[in-house]
Amino acid sequence: MKYLIRQKIFSFRDSFTIKNEFNEDCFKVYGKILTIGNKLFLTDMHDRELFYIEQRLLRFLPEYTIYQNGVEVATVKKRFTLMRPSFDITSSFGYFHIDGNFLAYDFTIFKDGTPAAVVSKKWFSLSDTYGVSVSDNENQAFILALVIVLDQIYHDGKK
């Protein structure tokens, strides 16, 4: 399935809408206001929480924890690399690894060594906009939560 993630321009908090390849709204992402570190919720269109994303502070490299129903389901850790972004994800959905290009605009998400999703940030856009192609056999919302983590690390406007 293909998705388009677009950040809302005029918002006091992180806010994204996620549409599928048929231009239908599928998910929403919004952040808590006035918090230390990033705290975001990925919900369905009926505002039911699917995943909660929280930045872990006081780390040498960026690290995020993803929760589902209040239970930790994944830890996203940035690897120390000089040229290309790289992440390791330990999760209840399997072992994931993310590799990106030099400018952090294109990423491939691997699950157990096999591509699970391809992510591309649009170059000429007023807001952060991503095209995401996710394998049908993956948890779609979880993969989209990983993409939101990438945005927070590389392209969040609050930095």
Side-chain angles (χ1 to χ4, degrees):
M1 177 71 76
K2 293 181 181 174
Y3 296 94
L4 183 68
I5 302 174
R6 178 170 286 139
Q7 186 170 23
K8 292 182 181 177
I9 297 174
F10 300 110
S11 179
F12 290 109
R13 61 182 179 181
D14 286 315
S15 182
F16 297 84
T17 55
I18 302 175
K19 296 179 180 275
N20 65 15
E21 59 193 305
F22 307 108
N23 204 33
E24 301 166 330
D25 290 342
C26 296
F27 303 101
K28 297 186 280 187
V29 177
Y30 62 91
K32 284 187 176 181
I33 299 174
L34 301 173
T35 61
I36 297 173
N38 295 314
K39 294 172 176 42
L40 300 111
F41 298 91
L42 188 141
T43 68
D44 64 13
M45 295 311 296
H46 301 287
D47 291 324
R48 291 181 293 236
E49 180 182 318
L50 302 174
F51 291 99
Y52 170 67
I53 303 164
E54 183 174 64
Q55 180 182 12
R56 298 188 73 184
L57 301 174
L58 304 174
R59 303 285 193 256
F60 178 67
L61 294 171
E63 187 175 324
Y64 282 76
T65 304
I66 300 174
Y67 299 88
Q68 184 177 37
N69 300 319
V71 177
E72 182 178 321
V73 294
T75 301
V76 180
K77 293 182 180 181
K78 186 176 185 315
R79 280 184 164 180
F80 180 74
T81 57
L82 296 177
M83 298 300 281
R84 298 168 58 101
S86 182
F87 296 84
D88 287 319
I89 298 98
T90 305
S91 80
S92 58
F93 299 102
Y95 174 75
F96 290 84
H97 179 79
I98 302 175
D99 281 325
N101 70 351
F102 177 71
L103 297 174
Y105 272 68
D106 296 301
F107 293 90
T108 302
I109 301 173
F110 296 93
K111 180 180 180 182
D112 301 320
T114 303
V118 176
V119 181
S120 182
K121 185 175 187 312
K122 300 212 183 276
W123 282 85
F124 301 104
S125 178
L126 293 176
S127 65
D128 288 342
T129 304
Y130 300 86
V132 183
S133 180
V134 182
S135 297
D136 291 334
N137 57 345
E138 296 300 328
N139 181 314
Q140 307 290 298
F142 177 72
I143 298 292
L144 295 170
L146 293 177
V147 176
I148 297 301
V149 169
L150 293 173
D151 173 75
Q152 295 302 296
I153 292 171
Y154 288 108
H155 304 290
D156 187 19
K158 291 188 289 189
K159 291 187 174 79

